[in-house]
Amino acid sequence: MVKSYLRYEPSVSFGVIASVDSNISYDSSGKHLLSPALEKIGVWHVRQGICTKTLTPFVPCRGPSLAVTSIASSPSQLIAGGYGDGSIRLWDTDKGTCETTLNGHKGAVTALRYNKLGSLLASGSKDNDVILWDVVGETGLFRLRGHRDQVTDVVFVGFGKKLVSSSKDKFLRVWDIDTQHCMQIVGGHHSEIWTLDVDPGERFLVTGSADKELRFYSIKQDSVDGESVKDGGDSSVSNKWDVLTHFGEIQRQSKDRVATVQFNKSGNLLACHVAGKMVEIFRVLDDAEAKRKAKRRVNRKKEKKHGKEPTEGTENGDVENKGDNTTVTDGPIETSKITVTVPDVFKLLHTIRASKKICSISFCPTTQKNSLATLALSLNNNLIEFYSIESGETKKTLGIDLEGHRSDVRSVTLSSDNTFLLSTSHNAVKIWNPSTGSCLRTIDSGYGLCSLILPTNKYGLVGTKEGTLEIIDIGGSTRVEAIEAHGGSVRTIAALPDKHGFVTGSQDHDVKFWEYQIKQKPGQATKQLTLSNVKTMRMNDDVLVVAISPDAKYIAVALLDSTVKIHFVDTFKFFLSLYGHKLPVLCMDISSDGDLIVTGSADKNIKIWGLDFGDCHKSIFAHKDSVMAVQFVPKTHYVFSVGKDRVVKYWDADKFEQLLTLEGHHADIWCLAVSNRGDFIVTGSHDRSIRRWDRTEEQFFIEEEKEKRLEEMFDADLDKAFESNYAPKEEIPEEGAVAVAGKKTEETLTATDLIIERLDIAENEKKRISEHQEEEKINKNAVFQANLLMNGQSPSDYVLSAFKDVHSNDLEQTLLALPFSDALKLLSYLKEWTSYSDKVELVCRIGTLLLQTHYNQLLSTPAARPVLTDFSDIFYERVKGWKDIFGFNLAAMDHIQQLMASRSDALFRDARSKLLEIRSQQSKRLQDRSDTGEFLRKKKKKTK
C-alpha cells in the first residue's frame, strides 16, 4: 500500500512593519498609511498605530519574486501595488480585496504613478519599459520603449497629457500620451537619475541623482486655445516643442545619492531624502515672494558693486526700474525684468536626521493645525516614524515599532501548550500569539542567539552573544536577571527530559548543566527563578549545538571541527563520534524514540544517523545553502529543515525522501520550532518575518509531489523561453518606440488553446446541424443528438463562453496568438454576439484587435469581405445605440442635479472640488492684492 502524508501549507506571517524593497504611501484620506510587508501591503491607522487591514495576494508566495516593490495611491479608495514578478495589483482599501491584476512587465515594477483623476496609471520597471494602463477598463493601453536602463520614476505633466520618465541611463524622456511618442530627451545629469516629482501647480519638475545638486526644470503649459504658455526660459533659444527647460540647481548638504524627492499636496514644501539618515525639507515660495527675494538679491548685488548704503526703498523690498534686468546664471525665470533663480524659489527650511537609514518618505495629504505638513519615514530597521514639520522646528510625533523586531529573528521557541511564542533578536525579546500573529510583550535584552521556555511557561531563558544567560519573566514583561554563564557567546540551549534543568553550549569550549529553582532571595518580596551550574564538560573546540536523548542517557555535542561527539550524560564518558560532514554542523535533533539523530551542516547536507552504533543511514543534499535548523516532528521520524536558501523542507527519515518544499521567506531562514503535536511549525528569518505553517487534512503521495516538482521546473523553463533571453535583442531607436502593453504568459496561451478548441467543436456542430436540416427534408422523423460537450449551448454561445475567464488585460495577447484561419472564424460570430447588450464592449474590442492584427491578410482574402461587411453594418449601429443611452443618462442626471439645486439653498456639488475652487480663488485674490500694492508703491514713489 502506498503511504500517504498530510500536507503543510502557509498560514500566518507576522513581524514585518515596513520592508526595504518598496516605498510607503498615504491613502487619499490621509488617515491610513500603506506600508510594504514583503509580499503583503499593510494598511496602518496612523492615529491608533495599528494595522487595520492586510492586502495579501491569493497566489502562493514564492519568496522575493512576489515582494512588493512599489505602491501608489489614487484619488479614490483604490491603490496600486507593483511586485517583483512584474505584475501590478489594484486593491480596494475599503473592502481589502484585489480588484484586478495587470501583467505586462518582464522585470520588477520600480515606479507607479496615477494621474490626477485616477483614471490612468503609469508604471516603470527593471525591463526598461514604461506602460500606461487604463484603470477603469482594467487593461494596458501601450508600452513606451526607449530607455537603455531601469526606469526609476514616472510622473504626469501637462494636465495628464504628457508623461515624464527617469532612468538609470542618466536621461529624462517626455512622452506625448495622445500621439504615443517621445517628444523630448533631456540630458545633463552625470549619474543615474533615481527620482523625480512635479509640484501640484506644475511650475517645476525636480530630479535627484548621485550628483551634488538637485536639478530643476520649468514646465511649458498648454493653454485652452492651444497656444503654449511657458513659466520661464528664453523661447528664442529653446525648441518650441520642448516641455522641460532647465531652470537651475541647488547644492545638497549630503554626499549620498538622492533616493526620493517629493512635494507635499499644497506644493509649499519639497522633501529630499538621500540614501542615508537625512531628509532635507525645502520651503517653496510662491511667485510674489520669489520675485521680492530676487529684487532684494539684485539690489544687494548692485549696492555691493557700487559700494552704496541700503536705501529706504530697498528695505521695503522696492527696487528702481533701471538696472532691473541684471542677468544671473542657473537657467533663470524672468518676470518684469527681474531674474528669478532657483535659490529665490526654494529655501532650505529643516533637516531631519533619523536614527537609522531611511528607506522611503511620504507626505500626508491633509495638514494638521499649527503645522506645515506631516512626513512619514520608513527605516531599514523595520520601523515607521512620523514627523510634524513646523515653521520653527520638526518634531517626532509617533513611531510604529512594537509589531516587529529591529533586526533578524535569531531564535523562536514555543511554549509547552503552544499558546505563545518567544522570539529573540539583537536587542529585544518578543512574546507573540502564534495563532493571530499579534505581539503580546516586548522585553529589552542582549543579542539573543538561542532561547528556551521553561515547562511552567512563566519564565524564558535567552542565551546571548555576550555569553550571558538572561532570565525573562514572561507575565511581568521584565528581564529578571542576567547571569555571566560563559566566556564566549552562548550558541545553544537544550532542555533536560526531567524538566528540572537544561544544558548550554558556548564558544568557550564548555558544555554546562544547569538546574533551576523558584526561591525567595533575601531582600526580595516575591519568589524568583534562580539558576545554579551543576557540572561542566570541557570540549576540545567551540561548541555549536547540543542535543539530549529523550531518555537522558546521551548528550550529542557538535563542534567547530565538523564532528559530533556523543557522551554519556551521567559520567561524561565518550560513546561515539559522528564524522562525515565537510563543514561544521550547525544544527541537530534526536527523534522522540531515541533511534535516530539528524544533523544539518554548512556543507548544505543533512545526514541521518543511527544513535545505537553511530552509522550514517543516509546523506542527503538538502539545501542550496547552509542548513540552519533541523527538527523532528514529535513521535515520528518526519524531519523539517530550513536553510539560507529561503525554503523549508519536509523529509521522511525512514524512506530518505523529500516530502514537501515550502516557499515564502524572502531571506535566509535562521530558526525553526515544531509544535508538540506537530500540527504547525514556526520559522524565523533574516527578512524579520515569522511565519506559521499549518498541517492540513489534505493527503498527498510522494510520487505525485515528484511529478509536481518536475512540472514546476518545466514551467519555469517555459517562462524563460517566453522572455527569449538568448534571442538577439531588438534595437530600439533613440527617439523611442511603442509596443503592445501586455505580455505572453501561460494563461494567455491556455486561453488561446481553449478558443481554438471551441471554434473547431462549434464548426463541427454547425456542419452537423446543416446536415441534419438536409436530412429532415427527406426524413421528418430524423432525430438530432447535440454534442454533450457544449452543455446545451448553441455554437455561437459555446465559443463566446471561452472568453468568460479571459482577463481584460490578457485579451490582446490571447488574440495575437490566434492563427489567421481561426481569427476569420471568430469574426463570423461577432454579428450574433452584438445582440447581447452586455457584450457590446467585448465584441468591439475583439473586432478591433483582430482587424489591427490581420489587416493586410483580411484585405487580400476575398472570403473575409462578406464577414466584414456584415460586421461593419451592425457594429456602428450597436455602438451608436449605447452612446445614445449613455448621453441620455448623463443628461438625465444633470437635470436631476439642477432640480435638486433649485429646491435647496445648498449647492449640489462635490465638496472636494468646491474646496479646491475656494483655495484657488483665495490665492488669486492674494496675488491681485500684492500686484496692486506693488503698483501703488511705485506710483507713489514716482509722484514724490
Side-chain angles (χ1 to χ4, degrees):
M1 186 177 173
V2 182
K3 186 174 175 61
S4 65
Y5 303 86
L6 292 178
R7 187 179 298 279
Y8 283 81
E9 289 189 346
S11 174
V12 182
S13 68
F14 49 92
V16 180
I17 298 170
S19 50
V20 298
D21 296 325
S22 173
N23 63 302
I24 57 172
S25 176
Y26 275 94
D27 68 347
S28 55
S29 67
K31 293 179 182 178
H32 296 93
L33 183 74
L34 309 167
S35 168
L38 303 178
E39 74 277 6
K40 302 188 289 188
I41 298 175
V43 182
W44 293 85
H45 195 286
V46 176
R47 285 190 179 177
Q48 296 174 2
I50 58 171
C51 187
T52 55
K53 284 189 187 71
T54 303
L55 310 177
T56 310
F58 293 115
V59 294
C61 179
R62 296 184 179 275
S65 65
L66 201 62
V68 179
T69 54
S70 185
I71 298 174
S73 57
S74 74
S76 65
Q77 74 273 15
L78 283 180
I79 67 156
Y83 292 81
D85 60 355
S87 62
I88 299 167
R89 288 175 175 80
L90 303 182
W91 299 88
D92 188 319
T93 50
D94 291 345
K95 300 175 187 173
T97 56
C98 179
E99 297 297 305
T100 186
T101 302
L102 307 172
N103 290 307
H105 287 293
K106 296 173 184 175
V109 178
T110 53
L112 287 173
R113 188 86 65 144
Y114 278 96
N115 66 346
K116 286 184 178 178
L117 295 175
S119 58
L120 295 178
L121 175 69
S123 64
S125 167
K126 284 185 177 178
D127 61 6
N128 310 349
D129 293 345
V130 177
I131 298 181
L132 199 69
W133 306 90
D134 178 4
V135 177
V136 181
E138 299 179 357
T139 183
L141 297 177
F142 47 84
R143 182 190 301 263
L144 300 169
R145 309 180 68 189
H147 283 295
R148 310 292 178 185
D149 207 338
Q150 170 185 326
V151 178
T152 54
D153 211 347
V154 288
V155 67
F156 286 93
V157 296
F159 305 104
K161 293 181 179 178
K162 296 174 182 64
L163 185 72
V164 183
S165 59
S166 63
S167 169
K168 284 187 178 181
D169 62 6
K170 307 177 188 177
F171 290 101
L172 295 175
R173 283 180 177 265
V174 184
W175 308 88
D176 190 301
I177 293 174
D178 294 334
T179 57
Q180 302 175 15
H181 81 287
C182 179
M183 58 189 303
Q184 186 184 0
I185 302 172
V186 182
H189 291 83
H190 304 295
S191 58
E192 296 112 334
I193 307 171
W194 287 96
T195 178
L196 58 86
D197 199 17
V198 63
D199 68 316
E202 294 191 4
R203 295 188 300 159
F204 308 109
L205 182 136
V206 57
T207 61
S209 65
D211 301 345
K212 293 180 180 178
E213 63 277 332
L214 287 177
R215 194 172 284 254
F216 292 83
Y217 298 88
S218 56
I219 302 171
K220 180 175 71 174
Q221 303 288 359
D222 290 332
S223 62
V224 181
D225 57 358
E227 295 180 0
S228 61
V229 180
K230 202 170 190 177
D231 280 347
D234 190 0
S235 59
S236 61
V237 177
S238 63
N239 187 344
K240 65 176 182 176
W241 300 109
D242 287 351
V243 176
L244 301 179
T245 309
H246 183 241
F247 177 35
E249 295 99 8
I250 284 185
Q251 294 293 323
R252 299 189 289 110
Q253 292 183 335
S254 174
K255 293 180 181 178
D256 296 321
R257 71 166 179 86
V258 178
T260 314
V261 289
Q262 189 176 0
F263 285 93
N264 67 338
K265 193 173 182 181
S266 56
N268 62 342
L269 291 178
L270 169 67
C272 170
H273 145 230
V274 299
K277 300 179 181 180
M278 195 166 71
V279 179
E280 296 174 28
I281 308 292
F282 293 90
R283 182 73 182 266
V284 185
L285 306 180
D286 60 20
D287 291 338
E289 288 174 330
K291 186 179 174 184
R292 284 198 294 271
K293 192 174 177 183
K295 283 182 180 179
R296 288 195 295 270
R297 176 178 50 77
V298 170
N299 228 23
R300 282 196 299 271
K301 190 174 179 181
K302 278 202 251 175
E303 286 161 5
K304 190 175 179 182
K305 187 177 179 181
H306 299 297
K308 293 180 181 178
E309 293 296 323
T311 59
E312 187 182 350
T314 319
E315 289 172 4
N316 295 329
D318 213 358
V319 184
E320 291 183 9
N321 286 332
K322 60 179 182 178
D324 276 355
N325 55 350
T326 311
T327 57
V328 185
T329 57
D330 287 345
I333 287 180
E334 295 187 3
T335 39
S336 306
K337 299 183 182 180
I338 294 294
T339 305
V340 177
T341 59
V342 174
D344 296 331
V345 183
F346 298 90
K347 175 187 174 185
L348 184 63
L349 185 65
H350 296 300
T351 301
I352 299 173
R353 297 183 191 276
S355 57
K356 288 288 179 181
K357 189 177 176 183
I358 302 167
C359 294
S360 69
I361 62 172
S362 180
F363 272 113
C364 181
T366 58
T367 308
Q368 295 180 350
K369 258 188 176 181
N370 305 322
S371 119
L372 296 173
T374 302
L375 186 69
L377 313 179
S378 73
L379 309 184
N380 73 341
N381 64 341
N382 198 24
L383 178 65
I384 297 175
E385 292 181 344
F386 298 88
Y387 287 83
S388 175
I389 301 168
E390 299 171 7
S391 308
E393 60 173 356
T394 59
K395 56 184 180 183
K396 182 180 170 183
T397 56
L398 183 66
I400 299 174
D401 58 352
L402 293 177
E403 294 294 323
H405 283 288
R406 303 282 75 77
S407 66
D408 308 16
V409 181
R410 292 310 300 261
S411 74
V412 288
T413 312
L414 284 162
S415 61
S416 58
D417 56 359
N418 300 330
T419 54
F420 59 86
L421 172 79
L422 184 145
S423 63
T424 65
S425 69
H426 81 293
N427 67 348
V429 172
K430 286 185 180 287
I431 311 296
W432 306 85
N433 181 342
S435 302
T436 61
S438 56
C439 181
L440 307 175
R441 306 272 192 278
T442 300
I443 304 145
D444 293 334
S445 75
Y447 198 131
L449 296 176
C450 52
S451 57
L452 176 71
I453 295 176
L454 300 186
T456 58
N457 293 337
K458 292 181 179 179
Y459 293 96
L461 298 172
V462 177
T464 66
K465 199 174 185 178
E466 296 79 23
T468 60
L469 265 178
E470 296 182 347
I471 303 172
I472 305 295
D473 183 352
I474 295 172
S477 303
T478 55
R479 182 173 60 178
V480 177
E481 191 179 359
I483 300 165
E484 295 293 334
H486 288 273
S489 56
V490 181
R491 296 295 182 92
T492 175
I493 298 178
L496 290 170
D498 61 5
K499 299 184 179 179
H500 292 298
F502 59 94
V503 183
T504 58
S506 169
Q507 200 175 356
D508 63 359
H509 302 191
D510 285 346
V511 175
K512 291 188 177 183
F513 286 74
W514 303 80
E515 283 186 355
Y516 46 80
Q517 292 178 344
I518 296 176
K519 291 183 187 177
Q520 185 169 350
K521 288 185 179 179
Q524 288 185 346
T526 57
K527 290 182 178 181
Q528 296 289 354
L529 182 77
T530 57
L531 302 180
S532 56
N533 182 12
V534 181
K535 46 187 177 179
T536 303
M537 183 169 65
R538 185 76 179 169
M539 305 304 292
N540 298 325
D541 212 334
D542 293 10
V543 178
L544 299 180
V545 197
V546 170
I548 308 287
S549 63
D551 56 2
K553 187 177 179 182
Y554 304 112
I555 177 170
V557 183
L559 302 177
L560 196 61
D561 62 3
S562 307
T563 62
V564 177
K565 308 291 184 188
I566 300 176
H567 294 257
F568 290 97
V569 171
D570 49 359
T571 61
F572 292 163
K573 186 181 176 182
F574 176 76
F575 174 54
L576 289 171
S577 179
L578 310 180
Y579 56 89
H581 283 291
K582 296 175 183 176
L583 290 172
V585 173
L586 302 176
C587 52
M588 63 181 171
D589 193 26
I590 298 173
S591 61
S592 302
D593 55 9
D595 290 345
L596 298 178
I597 177 170
V598 61
T599 57
S601 166
D603 62 9
K604 309 173 189 175
N605 292 324
I606 63 170
K607 290 182 185 287
I608 300 163
W609 315 76
L611 198 57
D612 44 3
F613 299 108
D615 55 323
C616 181
H617 292 183
K618 187 72 174 177
S619 180
I620 304 170
F621 181 72
H623 290 267
K624 295 177 183 176
D625 210 330
S626 303
V627 184
M628 300 308 298
V630 290
Q631 194 168 343
F632 278 100
V633 176
K635 299 176 183 177
T636 68
H637 283 180
Y638 304 147
V639 183
F640 279 99
S641 67
V642 299
K644 285 187 176 181
D645 59 354
R646 306 169 181 174
V647 296
V648 182
K649 292 195 176 182
Y650 186 34
W651 308 87
D652 187 336
D654 290 331
K655 293 189 174 183
F656 317 125
E657 292 277 5
Q658 179 184 337
L659 304 179
L660 288 174
T661 300
L662 304 173
E663 294 180 316
H665 279 290
H666 295 237
D668 309 352
I669 306 175
W670 291 114
C671 49
L672 164 72
V674 181
S675 69
N676 52 19
R677 293 189 298 273
D679 53 344
F680 69 90
I681 68 167
V682 178
T683 54
S685 168
H686 178 70
D687 62 17
R688 302 187 179 104
S689 72
I690 300 171
R691 291 176 188 264
R692 196 183 89 223
W693 316 78
D694 287 353
R695 185 172 63 197
T696 63
E697 295 301 318
E698 182 189 348
Q699 292 184 346
F700 70 92
F701 302 96
I702 293 176
E703 293 303 321
E704 286 181 359
E705 285 303 309
K706 282 182 181 177
E707 286 178 16
K708 196 181 286 185
R709 283 196 288 272
L710 287 170
E711 283 177 12
E712 286 175 359
M713 288 170 64
F714 175 74
D715 291 342
D717 292 340
L718 201 64
D719 291 340
K720 286 177 184 175
F722 289 154
E723 293 170 12
S724 304
N725 290 335
Y726 301 105
K729 288 190 176 180
E730 181 188 351
E731 194 64 34
I732 303 168
E734 187 182 347
E735 64 272 12
V738 182
V740 178
K743 70 172 180 179
K744 191 186 291 183
T745 61
E746 193 181 342
E747 288 79 13
T748 60
L749 288 180
T750 307
T752 305
D753 290 341
L754 181 64
I755 292 168
I756 293 170
E757 181 189 340
R758 296 204 172 182
L759 280 169
D760 291 341
I761 292 172
E763 287 298 310
N764 289 334
E765 189 69 4
K766 283 170 77 175
K767 196 180 290 182
R768 286 180 64 231
I769 291 170
S770 61
E771 287 173 0
H772 173 69
Q773 288 171 350
E774 290 293 326
E775 192 181 342
E776 262 189 336
K777 291 177 183 176
I778 304 165
N779 180 13
K780 291 186 178 180
N781 296 324
V783 179
F784 178 73
Q785 184 65 40
N787 192 336
L788 294 174
L789 291 173
M790 296 178 65
N791 296 324
Q793 295 175 313
S794 66
S796 173
D797 291 346
Y798 184 63
V799 176
L800 181 60
S801 64
F803 290 92
K804 185 176 67 174
D805 296 326
V806 178
H807 193 274
S808 177
N809 180 49
D810 295 334
L811 183 63
E812 189 168 9
Q813 288 295 330
T814 302
L815 294 176
L816 277 174
L818 274 180
F820 176 68
S821 58
D822 290 306
L824 199 58
K825 290 178 191 173
L826 192 59
L827 279 169
S828 64
Y829 288 102
L830 295 183
K831 184 180 177 182
E832 292 180 52
W833 294 349
T834 52
S835 59
Y836 300 111
S837 57
D838 59 331
K839 301 294 180 188
V840 171
E841 185 184 353
L842 176 66
V843 171
C844 294
R845 281 198 67 200
I846 293 171
T848 309
L849 289 169
L850 291 176
L851 288 171
Q852 287 174 344
T853 308
H854 304 285
Y855 178 74
N856 292 325
Q857 282 178 290
L858 286 168
L859 283 180
S860 57
T861 307
R865 287 172 191 169
V867 175
L868 293 176
T869 308
D870 291 345
F871 178 62
S872 63
D873 293 341
I874 198 74
F875 178 82
Y876 288 111
E877 183 186 334
R878 294 292 182 194
V879 172
K880 188 177 182 304
W882 274 103
K883 232 177 147 185
D884 293 343
I885 290 170
F886 287 142
F888 179 82
N889 290 342
L890 286 170
M893 284 190 282
D894 285 340
H895 180 63
I896 292 168
Q897 178 181 333
Q898 290 169 10
L899 284 174
M900 292 183 73
S902 63
R903 290 174 188 171
S904 170
D905 296 335
L907 289 172
F908 187 91
R909 62 173 68 186
D910 185 13
R912 189 183 297 171
S913 61
K914 175 67 177 171
L915 184 64
L916 290 171
E917 190 181 329
I918 290 167
R919 282 181 180 171
S920 65
Q921 287 174 357
Q922 285 175 345
S923 62
K924 194 177 177 184
R925 283 197 207 106
L926 288 169
Q927 182 66 35
D928 292 344
R929 283 175 189 170
S930 88
D931 291 344
T932 312
E934 189 80 17
F935 173 74
L936 290 171
R937 277 198 298 274
K938 283 183 180 178
K939 194 173 181 183
K940 190 177 179 183
K941 194 173 180 183
K942 279 182 183 177
T943 341
K944 283 181 180 179

